[in-house]
Amino acid sequence: MKLNHSLFTVASLAGLLFASSPVQAITVLNPSFEVGVLANPGETGSGPITNWTTSGTSGGWGRTDTNQFTSGVPDGVNYAWTNYSDTKHTQTLATVLLPDTNYSLTVAIGWRKDLAADPNYPIFPGYGIELWAGTTMLASKYHTDLGASSPVADSWLDVTATYTSPSSVTPDPLEIRLISGANVNNGYAIQTNFDNVRLVPEPSAALLGGLGSLLLLRRRK
């Protein structure tokens, strides 16, 4: 049986889409802040992190110890931290926004047990994760409830923000932002911790549905 060339092309494209996602995550440089592991457990550094831009009042990276997190961090030994709501860690990626794509930005958020046990800082400060393309914010996830117990002290919680791009987009570079979720200069909360940043693309339902319809149309012809 002779295979229609157009059908073969569409089927091949669909196969490539299924084969390439969702396992191939977008490259985030230094996603767990392990570049330049600090010498001593419990040590912290401030200022810029390799491959990330740090701005605001107070932020940096640290190497965990059992006084901070009993079971360590989700990936490696380092983590990033922000102490004030105006502080954020930003990375502009080499990947641009694509049409008809589902994006899932997942970040592990932690709350140090030593800070939670300090009577000066008994409240989790909250968090924010944002996905941008150029000057447009695509997706975000925030937790700014100052009475929140999630994540609980001495634990990490995976937080995900999602976005589905339309069929027509401007191919601006993607950008990730990690921020503290509260104004912690209030004597009740301090320091949000971040680790294991992941960004995964998948073909959207609209794209797969369009490919499926085209396949059916080609077969009928």
Side-chain angles (χ1 to χ4, degrees), residues 32-49:
S32 295
F33 316 104
E34 296 302 301
V35 176
V37 172
L38 295 166
N40 303 305
E43 182 180 354
T44 59
S46 60
I49 304 169

Side-chain angles (χ1 to χ4, degrees), residues 90-200:
T90 303
Q91 184 175 148
T92 301
L93 308 179
T95 304
V96 300
L97 178 65
L98 298 176
D100 293 313
T101 302
N102 296 324
Y103 291 95
S104 295
L105 171 64
T106 302
V107 182
I109 307 295
W111 189 18
R112 284 172 47 177
K113 68 175 183 178
D114 57 329
L115 295 179
D118 189 323
N120 293 315
Y121 312 116
I123 297 174
F124 176 63
Y127 58 77
I129 66 171
E130 299 174 347
L131 178 64
W132 291 67
T135 58
T136 301
M137 187 168 68
L138 307 177
S140 61
K141 187 78 171 181
Y142 303 108
H143 199 323
T144 56
D145 178 4
L146 288 183
S149 59
S150 181
V152 297
D154 194 23
S155 73
W156 292 83
L157 174 71
D158 267 356
V159 174
T160 301
T162 60
Y163 173 74
T164 299
S165 60
S167 57
S168 178
V169 300
T170 301
D172 290 321
L174 295 172
E175 180 181 291
I176 295 170
R177 299 183 184 183
L178 313 175
I179 61 177
S180 181
N183 182 359
V184 296
N185 189 20
N186 54 22
Y188 296 104
I190 196 169
Q191 197 172 109
T192 304
N193 302 127
F194 304 92
D195 195 46
N196 199 17
V197 181
R198 291 145 283 166
L199 181 58
V200 178

Side-chain angles (χ1 to χ4, degrees), residues 37-94:
V37 172
L38 295 166
N40 303 305
E43 182 180 354
T44 59
S46 60
I49 304 169
T50 301
N51 301 122
W52 294 82
T53 299
T54 300
S55 59
T57 302
S58 182
W61 73 103
R63 180 176 175 180
T64 190
D65 62 10
T66 55
N67 184 52
Q68 297 176 356
F69 292 101
T70 302
S71 300
V73 299
D75 187 41
V77 296
N78 279 6
Y79 59 87
W81 56 269
T82 56
N83 270 6
Y84 292 87
S85 59
D86 68 334
T87 303
K88 59 179 174 284
H89 303 301
T90 303
Q91 184 175 148
T92 301
L93 308 179

